[in-house]
Amino acid sequence: MSGAAGLSTHVLDTARGCPAAGVQVELVRVEGKQRHTLKTDLTNSDGRTDAPLVERGMLEPGTYELTFHVDEYFRAFEAAVKPPFLDIVTLRFTVSDTQAHYHIPLLVSPWSYSTYRGS
């Protein structure tokens, strides 16, 4: 199943140049107006969740949201404004290729963020 779809994430603190540990990550599947929480986890010292958010072969086509609760993480950053400018970052994306793995990193600072679809 190495070619089957799964989902992982990685949070990197671009202001300090390090992984962002302890960020709560929430995965939701969106179906019309309904939202189903699939998993909630925390990033580890490498900025990743200990296990994939969805194991390979288990990710179904559809619309999902990844929500990153970065406010608590940035409250501990001395150079950031209090309260932090960014509170929650939500990324909505669509899975269509069930043969490719989806890796969605969040590159975040106290003032901005970016993302991309990795593999």
Side-chain angles (χ1 to χ4, degrees):
M1 283 215 192
S2 62
L7 177 66
S8 59
T9 191
H10 193 185
V11 183
L12 298 170
D13 179 339
T14 58
R16 292 186 264 195
C18 64
V23 175
Q24 181 182 336
V25 180
E26 222 178 331
L27 175 63
V28 171
R29 182 174 173 121
V30 180
E31 297 178 36
K33 293 186 179 194
Q34 294 186 344
R35 301 165 46 79
H36 307 280
T37 300
L38 302 178
K39 188 168 188 174
T40 300
D41 209 343
L42 289 176
T43 58
N44 60 26
S45 62
D46 194 34
R48 301 172 187 271
T49 54
D50 288 332
L53 295 170
V54 178
E55 295 290 336
R56 287 186 185 266
M58 303 302 291
L59 187 63
E60 298 177 7
T63 301
Y64 296 85
E65 287 181 354
L66 268 177
T67 300
F68 300 87
H69 297 262
V70 297
D71 57 332
E72 289 300 317
Y73 177 80
F74 285 122
R75 284 182 192 281
F77 187 17
E78 291 299 321
V81 296
K82 307 293 189 274
F85 173 67
L86 291 176
D87 181 10
I88 294 173
V89 175
T90 300
L91 307 174
R92 183 177 278 207
F93 59 96
T94 301
V95 170
S96 57
D97 184 354
T98 59
Q99 295 304 305
H101 183 74
Y102 286 74
H103 180 71
I104 302 178
L106 178 70
L107 289 72
V108 65
S109 81
W111 310 277
S112 66
Y113 66 90
S114 65
T115 191
Y116 59 92
R117 180 188 168 206
S119 58

